[in-house]
Amino acid sequence: FRIRLQLGMHDPPAMVEWNYLHNESIVENKEHIALARLAAQQAMTLYTNKNGTLPLSPALKRIALVGPSAVQGQLLLGNYAAHPDMLIPTIQDGILHAIGESPENFTGNCSSAEANVDYFNQDSCGVTLTSNVSECCRHCGLNNACKYFTFYKGKCFMKTSNEGRRNSSGRYSAQCLSHFGTDRVRYVSGCPDVACNTTAGFADAVSGAAGAEVIVLVLGLDQGQEREGHDRTAIELPGNQVKLFDALRQAHAHTPIVVVLVHGGTLALGHIVQEADAILDAWYPGCQGGMAVGDVLFGAVSPAGRAPVTSYLKTEDLPAMGNTNLYPNSGSNGITYRYFNKPVQFPFGYGLSYSTFEYENLAISFNSIKACEYNTITVTVRNTGDVDSDEVVQVYVKQHNASTPVPNIRLVGFTRLSLLKGGYARVGWLLEREYYAIVPPSDDIYTDRTTVEKGLVSVYIGGGQPDYYHGGVRAQFTVTN
């Protein structure tokens, strides 16, 4: 109740200073929007980048954009996210802005909306949250596949035809008379929705990508696949999403395909990892995520996000539901980066950059310490690439002589550095005793039995886990008692 009391929720409204704030000047102001965009930029995680496919050139003349998540802003919000008052920029908006074809002033061109009319058919090309009919018209005009729309209770239902026209109270329907005037970015949905249960739109996607210099394919999940109370039974991409990639790859073997992932839970991508030219993970990037995707794809920002979860190769690698033992056992390969004992798709802490970094001049305070003493470690990180970039420096600890099972490795510290090209920084950490302590087995769950044992401890510093990141540095020290 402390916070509720501090907010004045139990006081007369006239006595609460917060009630006199003007929300329109605070909520979603320029500073908030800039922060949302920065947060999304910093979360972008680059997994693969063959032959320097990314960043793309803003001078590209023809870009094919495929996938329903590319034009539906609300799909970028994820779970437990209220719809903002502002219009959510889509990934399409972000790409158009990055190449200088910003649709910010595009208002749409539609026929007068018919009240109490619904176009009720299955030829959907997207559903997005909107505040009014005018916004719905704009969304339809930005979606090349959208010819008609129905607005109802804050949602815009975009349609390829007006079949199924019927009277329906509270709905407003209209025809899109013209689309946003640029041929540089051509959108085709490929799948009617994220579930992608049909391949009917694949032919249009393949033909729509003809002549493109690059294909940006948006894949992933939405709240229909993952949400509280609705778990997935498999970590592979849903429906026919992989088949959509295959259709585009087969038809356009020499056109680079950049895959953008929009999701929350871990994904197993299969052969897409080897066959895509680049894979950028946007996660659920929030209300400015569409702009951030454009920023990263076209090089305004160098990606430095790191995977906060392990991406496994397939569902069968995971333990059965109900097997909660973290360590490998007769029915499990273990779970999480600390305990899993098989190859993975992308490891926890993994992420690429448009720049390169060197770790040098590692220094550790003591080569041996007593159990109750502390150690410190420092390192210099240098940006050796051609662009300014952030780098996420990670510190991992491994125990070699533990008397009881311990994690394969532990992340014990990290920091994010912003380094100009050619720039460097020196950073350090205090190595707390808890970082290499053990908890001996005991039936007593109420007594703290945390123990520091004598033995060898290794410390690794780099841009990822030592088994996956090459170029980091390491040191060792011994606990003597």
Side-chain angles (χ1 to χ4, degrees):
F1 278 85
R2 175 187 294 179
I3 299 300
R4 296 178 68 179
L5 290 170
Q6 290 176 335
L7 290 173
M9 294 176 67
H10 297 279
D11 297 328
M15 295 177 59
V16 181
E17 60 179 305
W18 316 116
N19 291 337
Y20 295 94
L21 295 175
H22 297 287
N23 285 344
E24 61 271 15
S25 64
I26 298 175
V27 178
E28 297 178 30
N29 60 27
K30 290 182 178 180
E31 290 78 13
H32 287 181
I33 293 172
L35 181 60
R37 187 166 176 172
L38 175 64
Q41 291 169 346
Q42 292 188 344
M44 298 288 151
T45 308
L46 182 62
Y47 292 141
T48 66
N49 193 20
K50 292 181 182 177
N51 302 316
T53 298
L54 297 179
L56 301 172
S57 169
L60 288 173
K61 299 299 183 184
R62 184 71 183 274
I63 301 165
L65 180 61
V66 184
S69 294
V71 295
Q72 299 184 48
Q74 85 280 358
L75 296 185
L76 307 179
L77 298 180
N79 223 333
Y80 293 108
H83 191 277
D85 295 331
M86 58 173 285
L87 191 65
I88 304 171
T90 65
I91 291 175
Q92 183 185 43
D93 291 333
I95 290 175
L96 289 168
H97 188 273
I99 65 173
E101 298 279 356
S102 177
E104 292 173 358
N105 297 321
F106 176 71
T107 58
N109 180 23
C110 302
S111 64
S112 297
E114 294 183 274
N116 302 317
V117 170
D118 184 14
Y119 299 144
F120 189 78
N121 64 72
Q122 300 303 313
D123 298 325
S124 172
C125 54
V127 180
T128 190
L129 300 178
T130 54
S131 300
N132 51 55
V133 172
S134 296
E135 282 188 10
C136 194
C137 173
R138 179 181 185 273
H139 277 293
C140 190
L142 289 170
N143 183 339
N144 290 330
C146 182
K147 308 302 181 185
Y148 298 85
F149 67 84
T150 296
F151 174 78
Y152 180 61
K153 288 187 176 180
K155 290 185 178 181
C156 180
F157 299 86
M158 292 176 278
K159 306 288 184 176
T160 58
S161 75
N162 62 350
E163 293 181 3
R165 186 184 187 281
R166 67 182 187 181
N167 294 331
S168 185
S169 178
R171 290 164 171 80
Y172 296 84
S173 297
Q175 179 182 4
C176 179
L177 300 178
S178 62
H179 290 84
F180 180 67
T182 178
D183 293 327
R184 294 180 64 192
V185 178
R186 178 169 179 77
Y187 170 73
V188 282
S189 63
C191 299
D193 51 32
V194 175
C196 199
N197 290 321
T198 175
T199 61
F202 285 16
D204 287 342
V206 167
S207 61
E213 296 169 89
V214 65
I215 300 169
V216 178
L217 173 60
V218 186
L219 303 174
L221 306 171
D222 67 1
Q223 304 311 297
Q225 280 71 49
E226 56 174 5
R227 63 182 184 274
E228 184 170 352
H230 184 83
D231 297 331
R232 291 179 292 153
T233 58
I235 61 174
E236 284 74 22
L237 286 165
N240 295 293
Q241 287 191 27
V242 174
K243 291 182 179 179
L244 175 59
F245 172 87
D246 291 343
L248 291 167
R249 180 78 292 167
Q250 182 177 358
H252 305 291
H254 302 293
T255 304
I257 299 180
V258 176
V259 172
V260 176
L261 301 174
V262 175
H263 68 112
T266 187
L267 288 171
L269 303 178
H271 58 268
I272 291 178
V273 174
Q274 289 74 40
E275 297 183 20
D277 294 274
I279 301 175
L280 177 69
D281 202 332
W283 308 99
Y284 289 128
C287 63
Q288 286 293 305
M291 301 303 288
V293 169
D295 293 335
V296 171
L297 288 181
F298 290 87
V301 173
S302 173
R306 296 294 186 267
V309 295
T310 301
S311 294
Y312 303 94
L313 288 171
K314 57 184 182 298
T315 301
E316 290 74 20
D317 286 343
L318 298 176
M321 282 289 186
N323 187 342
T324 58
N325 190 341
L326 296 175
Y327 289 91
N329 57 75
S330 59
S332 169
N333 302 307
I335 196 69
T336 81
Y337 80 98
R338 289 187 172 205
Y339 310 100
F340 193 70
N341 63 0
K342 292 188 69 174
V344 300
Q345 177 178 267
F346 302 118
F348 169 87
Y350 182 78
L352 303 177
S353 169
Y354 295 156
S355 193
T356 56
F357 299 89
E358 286 186 1
Y359 289 77
E360 57 192 17
N361 299 326
L362 177 70
I364 191 165
S365 297
F366 305 105
N367 293 322
S368 63
I369 62 172
K370 296 180 179 180
C372 292
E373 295 177 336
Y374 292 95
N375 216 339
T376 59
I377 193 165
T378 55
V379 69
T380 298
V381 184
R382 189 180 302 276
N383 183 347
T384 56
D386 297 326
V387 298
D388 303 341
S389 182
D390 287 3
E391 170 72 340
V392 177
V393 184
Q394 301 167 51
V395 185
Y396 292 88
V397 164
K398 182 178 181 64
Q399 293 163 270
H400 297 274
N401 309 114
S403 63
T404 190
V406 294
N408 303 322
I409 201 166
R410 306 185 198 185
L411 176 72
V412 300
F414 67 91
T415 189
R416 189 181 189 109
L417 301 176
S418 296
L419 297 174
L420 302 176
K421 58 181 180 181
Y424 67 93
R426 190 155 185 85
V427 291
W429 285 266
L430 174 68
L431 299 177
E432 301 278 1
R433 295 175 297 232
E434 291 79 4
Y435 296 166
Y436 44 89
I438 68 162
V439 180
S442 172
D443 294 330
D444 182 2
I445 63 173
Y446 300 103
T447 302
D448 182 7
R449 297 174 58 85
T450 303
T451 303
V452 176
E453 294 187 314
K454 66 179 181 180
L456 186 65
V457 177
S458 293
V459 185
Y460 309 87
I461 303 181
Q465 292 186 52
D467 289 342
Y468 302 97
Y469 180 85
H470 304 289
V473 291
R474 63 186 65 198
Q476 294 182 325
F477 66 93
T478 301
V479 180
T480 58
N481 72 324

